[in-house]
Amino acid sequence: MTDTSSRLHTGSHDLPVSPELSRFMAGNWAASPLPGVDRVPGHAVTPARRARLSARFPGERLIIPAGELKVRSNDCDHRFRPHSAYAWLTGLTGEDQVGHVLVLEPSGPHAHEAILYLRPRSPRAGGNEEFYRDRRYGEFWVGRRADLAEAEALTGIRCAHLDALGSPAGRNAATDGELATVLSELRLVKDAWEVEQLQLAVDHTAAGFEDVVRALPRALAHPRGERWIEGVFGLRARAEGNGTGYDTIAASGAHACVLHWIRNDGRLNPDELLLLDAGVETDTLYTADITRTLPLSGRFSPVQRQVYELVLAAQEAGMAALRPGASFRDFHRAGMRVIAEGLAEWGVLKHAEGDLHRRYTLCSSGHMLGLDVHDCAQARSETYLDGVLEEGQVLTVEPGLYLQPDDETLPAELRGIGVRIEDDLVVTADGARLMSGALPRTVDGIEEWMGRLLNG
C-alpha cells in the first residue's frame, strides 16, 4: 500500500519547519468547501460509456490511470492533462487529476462497479504539512482538490483514497494493449454531446484564425513573426478553452514544406504564404484541427493560386467521398487522384498512375478527431484505417502539396511552396457536415475575408 500522505515533494532550498510553525499552521482555518459543487460536464453520458467497456471484459478488473506528472526541467513539471480514456470515462479533465485512477471492479458475471481512487484535499490539522509544503500537490502551491464527498458529487462515482488502491492486479490501460485498443474503438463514434464539444472547439478555433489575420501587420514587422502568430492563437486557446490541442504550426514560406514545423522562429515575408495549422482544446479536452494557407500580402500570386486551387480541388473530392459505409481510405484516394492528375497536367509527373505523387504529398489526407487530435490511434486497422465510416464519426480532410525548395524535379517558380487545407467534418446519415465552414476556403473567399479583417 502506498502512503501518499506521508511523502512531501519539497524543494532542496526549502527552509526547515520548526515545531512552533507546524503547530501554528495546523489551526485556525475556516471551513472552506469547494463552491458550487455540481456534476462534471458530460456526466449524463459517462455511465453508458463505462457500461460499454464493462461489457467487453466480463469478470476482469480494469484499471484506467489519469497519468503522472512529467518533469520539464529540474523541479518544474509539464502542465498536466489527464489521459483521454480516463477523461472519457469519468468526465474529469482538470490538472488536479494527477495520479488518480479509475478502477472497474467486477461486481457480477456481467457487471462492474466503478471506483475512483484519488488524492483528496489534505487536512490542515493533525500534523499534515502537505497543504502548505508540498510543491507538487499542496493546496497552497497548486490549488485546491476535492475531498472524497465532493468528488463523488462531481462524478457520481464512488470515491476512495488513493492510499487504499495499493497495486491491484488487472488490465491496466497504460500497459495492456487489448484494453487500450478497446478504449480507442469505443470512441470511434461520437455521441451528440461530444459533437457539440467538438463544434465548440471548432468555433473557438475559427475565432483564433481571425485573431491571427488581424495581427498580421505586427507579425510581419517582428523578426520572429511565426512565433508572434503562435502566441496570438495561443491567447485565444487559453482564454476560451484548456489551451491548444497540439503544438501550433505557423509555417511561412518554405517552412510550410515541413509537415510538423513547430519551431515557429521564422520571419514573415509578404510575398510568401503562411500555413497555419492550429486547434483550440475545450475545457472538456475535445480539440479542433484546422489548417488554412494564407497569402501574407492578402492576395495570392498567380503561382500561389495555381498550387492552392489544386489542393482545394483535392479537398473537395475528398469531402464528397464521405458517407456511412464508405471505406475510410476512400476520401484520401479521391483527393490523391486529383493531385496526381494535376501534377501530370503541370508536367511535373509524366502520368497520373502509380504513387509517384507521394513525393509531393508525403502523408495521408486525414484522421479521426476527438479527445486526441489523432483520435482513436490504438484502434485495430480493420475498425479504423481499413474499416468503413459510420454516422457520428468526426474526422479531418487535409490534402496538401509540399514542394520542397531544393527539389530539382520542379520548375523554379514552384519550389518552396507548401499548401495544406484542413477542415473538420462529422459523418451524417447521408454524407458529412462541414463543421469548420465559418472559415473561407476558396481563393476569392480568403482574399475577401483577409481584406475585411485587415481593413475593418
Side-chain angles (χ1 to χ4, degrees):
M1 182 178 296
T2 301
D3 181 8
T4 59
S5 62
S6 64
R7 196 173 58 242
L8 293 182
H9 298 265
T10 56
S12 60
H13 59 281
D14 283 353
L15 295 172
V17 173
S18 67
E20 292 79 9
L21 176 58
S22 182
R23 287 193 296 272
F24 185 59
M25 293 297 292
N28 298 302
W29 299 106
S32 53
L34 289 181
V37 173
D38 199 358
R39 289 291 176 93
V40 293
H43 66 87
V45 294
T46 55
R49 295 171 181 174
R50 295 191 295 271
R52 290 168 61 201
L53 179 61
S54 170
R56 299 291 294 271
F57 295 96
E60 297 191 66
R61 179 183 287 113
L62 307 178
I63 303 164
I64 300 93
E68 300 290 347
L69 289 168
K70 295 182 180 179
V71 174
R72 182 186 185 277
S73 62
N74 190 30
D75 58 351
C76 296
D77 296 310
H78 286 283
R79 187 182 295 276
F80 180 76
R81 179 193 188 279
H83 191 279
S84 294
Y86 173 90
W88 189 71
L89 291 167
T90 66
L92 293 166
T93 60
E95 296 179 35
D96 59 344
Q97 297 303 305
V98 176
H100 296 181
V101 182
L102 175 69
V103 177
L104 298 187
E105 290 282 0
S107 58
H110 302 288
H112 288 78
E113 180 190 13
I115 305 173
L116 184 59
Y117 291 90
L118 52 84
R119 181 183 290 103
R121 183 163 64 249
S122 54
R124 300 188 188 179
N128 190 309
E129 298 179 347
E130 180 190 87
F131 72 98
Y132 71 96
R133 293 201 67 200
D134 195 310
R135 293 169 175 265
R136 271 189 158 178
Y137 306 116
E139 179 181 330
F140 288 5
W141 287 92
V142 298
R144 307 200 67 196
R145 301 191 301 271
D147 63 23
L148 294 179
E150 290 167 338
E152 289 189 359
L154 282 166
T155 62
I157 301 172
R158 181 160 78 88
C159 294
H161 199 293
L162 189 58
D163 289 349
L165 176 60
S167 301
R171 290 182 179 269
N172 191 315
T175 57
D176 187 285
E178 184 179 359
L179 178 55
T181 292
V182 169
L183 283 165
S184 274
E185 293 179 348
L186 289 175
R187 288 166 40 212
L188 278 167
V189 175
K190 273 53 181 179
D191 57 43
W193 181 83
E194 290 181 289
V195 174
E196 289 176 0
Q197 294 302 301
L198 284 162
Q199 186 64 64
L200 182 63
V202 166
D203 294 344
H204 288 322
T205 300
F209 274 69
E210 292 193 350
D211 295 340
V212 165
V213 173
R214 292 189 182 98
L216 281 179
R218 295 191 70 179
L220 282 159
H222 197 278
R224 285 188 172 185
E226 290 178 344
R227 201 154 288 184
W228 193 279
I229 295 301
E230 177 187 357
V232 168
F233 187 85
L235 173 60
R236 174 67 66 171
R238 283 294 283 167
E240 304 291 359
N242 188 53
T244 54
Y246 52 95
D247 287 331
T248 296
I249 299 169
S252 63
H255 291 166
C257 299
V258 181
L259 294 179
H260 288 168
W261 176 262
I262 59 171
R263 298 180 199 175
N264 299 341
D265 59 0
R267 180 182 288 277
L268 305 183
N269 183 334
D271 295 329
E272 295 178 331
L273 299 173
L274 170 72
L275 188 157
L276 177 61
D277 186 334
V280 172
E281 180 180 83
T282 64
D283 291 330
T284 56
L285 305 188
Y286 288 86
T287 186
D289 183 7
I290 298 173
T291 306
R292 288 294 182 268
T293 305
L294 309 174
L296 285 165
S297 67
R299 307 285 296 182
F300 288 89
S301 71
V303 69
Q304 290 168 351
R305 175 187 285 263
Q306 173 189 347
V307 177
Y308 186 93
E309 289 190 333
L310 178 55
V311 176
L312 179 62
Q315 191 196 35
E316 293 282 3
M319 292 193 298
L322 298 178
R323 65 181 61 87
S327 168
F328 174 82
R329 297 185 189 270
D330 281 353
F331 74 91
H332 171 69
R333 297 188 185 105
M336 291 305 97
R337 190 176 308 114
V338 171
I339 291 285
E341 291 171 355
L343 291 172
E345 289 176 9
W346 293 354
V348 171
L349 294 176
K350 293 181 179 179
H351 52 75
E353 288 71 38
D355 64 354
L356 298 187
H357 64 276
R358 292 178 61 183
R359 179 182 177 112
Y360 314 101
T361 60
L362 298 177
C363 68
S364 186
S365 300
H367 51 81
M368 293 294 180
L369 186 66
L371 284 166
D372 297 327
V373 65
H374 299 134
D375 208 31
C376 310
Q378 303 303 313
R380 293 167 296 168
S381 179
E382 58 265 32
T383 65
Y384 181 178
L385 297 177
D386 294 322
V388 298
L389 296 177
E390 297 182 49
E391 184 177 356
Q393 291 180 334
V394 178
L395 69 161
T396 71
V397 177
E398 52 171 316
L401 273 174
Y402 311 99
L403 309 177
Q404 304 297 332
D406 55 351
D407 190 341
E408 294 182 342
T409 69
L410 296 168
E413 66 271 16
L414 289 176
R415 296 178 194 173
I417 296 177
V419 172
R420 177 163 66 251
I421 312 169
E422 179 178 20
D423 283 275
D424 304 338
L425 300 100
V426 56
V427 179
T428 61
D430 57 358
R433 175 172 65 84
L434 180 61
M435 303 175 75
S436 46
L439 289 173
R441 295 184 299 121
T442 66
V443 166
D444 291 343
I446 286 174
E447 290 181 344
E448 186 279 329
W449 174 69
M450 292 183 68
R452 175 168 43 84
L453 293 174
L454 288 169
N455 300 316

